[in-house]
Amino acid sequence: MASKERFEMPWQYNFPPFFTLQPNLDTRKLQLEAWSALILKYFRSHRLHIIDVNEAQSSPLFHNVSLNRKLSTETIQLILEELRRTGHLEWMDKQKRRGWILWRSVDDWAKLLYRWAIDNGMSNTVCTLYDLLHGHDTADEEFHNMDQDLMQRALKALELQKKAEVISMDGNIGVKFF
Amino acid sequence: MGNLFGTSKNVSRVTEHDRAVLQLKVQRDKVRQYQRRIEVTMEKERQLAKRLIQEGKKDKAKLMLRKKRFEEQQLTKAEVQLEQLDSLLMNLEFTQIEQQVIQGLKIGNECLRKLHETFKLEDIEKILDESREGIEYQRDIDSLLSGSITTEDDDVVEEEFAQMFADQFPEVPKEDLEEIGDTAPRKDTGKQKATERRERQAQLAD
């Protein structure tokens, strides 16, 4: 992916103490904020939506190979909790092992989808979920290839606003925009 | 209670037609997915055949290529099917639009008919008659008013008219005449000349 090469880690990433939870509360607060911002930026530029705590440590994001430093699972949990507090993360399970990283809120995703539908004259017609996620028409959109469940949540949000209706048919999902 | 309200409010706006279109689009997606899958396997087999040739396993390589050829044919078939599905979809969607147009025409027609109903022909005749009567009445008033003017008034009017008529011509400037008399047959018509003359006049006055 082209965006992968373009992504530059912030200076903190090459600063060893960044990978250890700071004892001083003020410093720790700043540290958590910096990590939150970094995670959101990293996920956005790589178009990722799901974080798996078990696999997180093997990601270059939390493991700086050149420094030979990595964040402990506990610290990762702490940062993720901070993200949840600011509304940028939603857990998928009660064990808090997997979660959505919402670098764009569900409502904003919904807006984006709706604008695409209107701009492309898709109102009053039926689109399949597959079409929205992987179709040729959405290749340039940010929601192309996004997490299917997350897209479904955005569509549900549109449904509540009466801007769309989700149709489920033999396990195939479609949506009609209005 | 909430449920009761919920069901009455949330009337689905998805029609049977929409469902049919969705079904077709799902089919189309499946063909596309199939295409993608075949493309991936074909690429893998091509690589594999290459390796087999390098390893000297000619028969196996040929088998691989034959398999790939078969898949290529499947892909072409899928392409044709996709085209058919697409054209069917377009037809379906267009029919829906046609239906909407016809519906719109129907509503417009109905509206026009109702409007015509409210304006009955007799009503219009009546309205026209009434307005004609109104005009005639106005004309009567006018003639009555003009009839009330006496001959004495007429004289005054005539006099005023004559005065106004005379006023619309400018007074003949006397000095100008003398001037023209001096320089005998000169004819001043243009505006430019008139201003020249006025200038000269001013000099003379000095």
Side-chain angles (χ1 to χ4, degrees):
Chain A
M1 215 189 279
S3 58
K4 233 173 205 164
E5 269 101 45
R6 259 188 279 124
F7 186 75
E8 263 181 49
M9 288 292 185
W11 64 270
Q12 293 105 319
Y13 188 72
N14 293 310
F15 183 57
F18 192 48
F19 288 86
T20 323
L21 193 63
Q22 294 303 304
N24 180 307
L25 282 182
D26 287 341
T27 324
R28 182 184 292 190
K29 190 169 170 275
L30 288 176
Q31 187 191 14
L32 289 180
E33 276 168 16
W35 267 111
S36 299
L38 172 57
I39 292 172
L40 290 179
K41 245 173 98 180
Y42 184 87
F43 269 67
R44 183 183 198 131
S45 101
H46 290 73
R47 300 268 173 93
L48 298 170
H49 304 280
I50 292 174
I51 191 156
D52 191 310
V53 179
N54 295 330
E55 290 168 23
Q57 265 190 319
S58 54
S59 153
L61 177 60
F62 298 112
H63 185 190
N64 187 336
V65 184
S66 58
L67 282 182
N68 197 20
R69 295 283 167 133
K70 63 171 142 186
L71 272 182
S72 70
T73 319
E74 292 75 41
T75 316
I76 292 178
Q77 282 283 15
L78 209 66
I79 296 164
L80 295 183
E81 206 44 45
E82 171 73 12
L83 277 174
R84 192 201 56 79
R85 205 179 53 78
T86 52
H88 294 294
L89 180 140
E90 266 179 46
W91 291 113
M92 291 163 140
D93 52 354
K94 278 185 182 162
Q95 291 78 37
K96 299 187 177 179
R97 304 315 291 175
R98 274 164 74 81
W100 282 299
I101 297 287
L102 300 171
W103 41 270
R104 176 175 279 135
S105 71
V106 173
D107 274 345
D108 284 347
W109 277 119
K111 269 183 211 153
L112 201 70
L113 277 166
Y114 191 65
R115 195 175 331 130
W116 173 83
I118 297 301
D119 287 352
N120 289 277
M122 291 303 197
S123 50
N124 261 316
T125 47
V126 202
C127 303
T128 61
L129 197 62
Y130 180 86
D131 227 3
L132 289 176
L133 283 167
H134 313 294
H136 305 294
D137 294 343
T138 64
D140 298 331
E141 305 298 324
E142 276 197 290
F143 53 79
H144 193 69
N145 285 334
M146 82 185 269
D147 180 58
Q148 183 171 331
D149 295 328
L150 190 56
M151 179 176 278
Q152 259 178 281
R153 288 191 51 197
L155 292 177
K156 283 274 174 222
L158 282 180
E159 201 168 36
L160 282 176
Q161 297 166 25
K162 308 255 172 223
K163 286 176 177 167
E165 200 165 319
V166 178
I167 315 159
S168 182
M169 211 168 53
D170 322 320
N172 297 303
I173 290 166
V175 61
K176 188 179 181 187
F177 292 104
F178 295 100
Chain B
M1 272 305 273
N3 205 3
L4 197 77
F5 278 124
T7 44
S8 61
K9 256 186 194 171
N10 291 332
V11 180
S12 176
R13 285 180 285 178
V14 176
T15 59
E16 276 309 304
H17 187 106
D18 291 335
R19 285 182 175 275
V21 171
L22 179 64
Q23 192 127 37
L24 271 176
K25 285 194 174 172
V26 166
Q27 290 307 320
R28 187 193 59 190
D29 288 348
K30 285 196 174 138
V31 176
R32 277 194 197 151
Q33 266 167 303
Y34 175 75
Q35 275 184 320
R36 202 177 280 189
R37 199 172 64 220
I38 290 225
E39 273 165 14
V40 170
T41 31
M42 268 169 58
E43 182 54 30
K44 275 186 198 155
E45 278 161 5
R46 207 179 63 84
Q47 299 293 343
L48 193 64
K50 233 186 192 173
R51 215 176 59 218
L52 286 170
I53 290 170
Q54 276 165 2
E55 287 169 7
K57 293 172 183 165
K58 273 189 184 172
D59 285 350
K60 273 195 175 175
K62 264 187 191 165
L63 194 73
M64 222 17 98
L65 288 176
R66 222 171 281 142
K67 198 166 166 247
K68 201 181 91 65
R69 175 78 199 130
F70 175 71
E71 277 157 1
E72 250 167 23
Q73 284 165 351
Q74 295 298 103
L75 205 59
T76 333
K77 275 185 206 161
E79 198 69 51
V80 174
Q81 277 184 354
L82 205 59
E83 225 166 90
Q84 279 174 344
L85 273 173
D86 268 336
S87 70
L88 188 56
L89 264 172
M90 269 187 205
N91 278 332
L92 251 176
E93 286 185 318
F94 189 67
T95 317
Q96 199 170 19
I97 287 166
E98 272 182 334
Q99 215 177 12
Q100 280 164 0
V101 171
I102 289 167
Q103 194 65 26
L105 285 175
K106 216 167 125 187
I107 292 167
N109 242 344
E110 184 69 12
C111 201
L112 200 64
R113 200 177 59 78
K114 275 190 183 152
L115 275 174
H116 281 159
E117 256 173 33
T118 54
F119 286 118
K120 286 205 177 96
L121 224 56
E122 304 138 39
D123 289 344
I124 295 163
E125 268 174 15
K126 207 175 137 198
I127 290 167
L128 284 176
D129 274 349
E130 276 172 11
S131 62
R132 203 177 297 130
E133 273 168 27
I135 290 165
E136 269 166 28
Y137 188 69
Q138 182 61 42
R139 215 172 273 154
D140 286 349
I141 293 172
D142 285 349
S143 63
L144 272 174
L145 280 176
S146 58
S148 69
I149 290 174
T150 58
T151 43
E152 200 182 318
D153 293 326
D154 267 350
D155 287 346
V156 175
V157 168
E158 283 298 325
E159 207 175 298
E160 200 178 348
F161 172 78
Q163 184 62 43
M164 273 184 164
F165 189 76
D167 282 351
Q168 73 175 329
F169 297 107
E171 249 181 86
V172 184
K174 279 171 187 164
E175 291 142 305
D176 250 17
L177 267 179
E178 285 162 16
E179 183 83 1
I180 289 164
D182 286 351
T183 49
R186 222 172 91 187
K187 273 189 184 171
D188 292 325
T189 41
K191 264 187 182 173
Q192 214 187 335
K193 279 185 181 168
T195 46
E196 267 177 31
R197 200 171 59 224
R198 220 163 288 143
E199 274 165 17
R200 214 181 309 141
Q201 236 173 305
Q203 279 168 0
L204 279 175
D206 283 339

